[in-house]
Amino acid sequence: MEKEIKISAYRNNGAKIFTGRDKGIEAREALNLNSLDEETEVVRVLIPSDTWGINPSFFGGMFEGSIKKLGTKFTEKYQFWYSNAYELNESMKRDISDNIAYVIRNISVVQ
């Protein structure tokens, strides 16, 4: 079973990039990710297809708690797709992978 969440509402109007830790935290709370982390379903995160990138600060604000809780299972639980159901292009896949690595590095620095 899968759940879908759309993150388009957390990008500034007209922007092609998701930015800002505060916006990421807002998205996390609004989408109730703490609760989704506890559930068994895979979560499909739908990104607008015109997105150029997701800033590490936004990504961290949105997913740091999930990465801390789920560890290496994060990428099994949260799967990223364009909202038109297309698989992400290589650039967006790399961006998300880099963001996950960034969050993990910063978690280990803080602890």
Side-chain angles (χ1 to χ4, degrees):
M1 187 110 176
E2 260 184 24
K3 289 193 173 197
E4 291 184 345
I5 58 173
K6 296 179 181 179
I7 64 171
S8 56
Y10 307 100
R11 189 174 71 175
N12 292 329
N13 283 345
K16 302 293 185 197
I17 299 172
F18 287 87
T19 60
R21 185 165 182 82
D22 291 344
K23 267 295 205 212
I25 291 169
E26 176 188 331
R28 179 171 187 79
E29 291 171 0
L31 296 167
N32 204 12
L33 295 192
N34 286 335
S35 179
L36 288 179
D37 288 346
E38 300 291 330
E39 296 178 11
T40 57
E41 290 92 355
V42 168
V43 178
R44 186 176 278 210
V45 180
L46 300 178
I47 300 168
S49 58
D50 64 348
T51 300
W52 293 348
I54 300 174
N55 185 283
S57 61
F58 176 91
F59 193 89
M62 186 166 179
F63 292 111
E64 182 179 297
S66 301
I67 292 170
K68 280 181 180 177
K69 180 169 199 58
L70 301 168
T72 57
K73 297 212 182 284
F74 174 79
T75 54
E76 294 170 24
K77 172 78 174 175
Y78 288 94
Q79 298 178 358
F80 297 84
W81 290 78
Y82 287 123
S83 53
N84 59 7
Y86 285 108
E87 188 174 344
L88 298 181
N89 65 31
E90 290 306 313
S91 174
M92 277 301 296
K93 285 180 185 177
R94 199 169 34 255
D95 195 36
I96 288 170
S97 179
D98 290 348
N99 286 337
I100 292 168
Y102 173 84
V103 170
I104 291 169
R105 274 193 315 274
N106 285 303
I107 288 171
S108 60
V109 168
V110 171
Q111 292 179 351

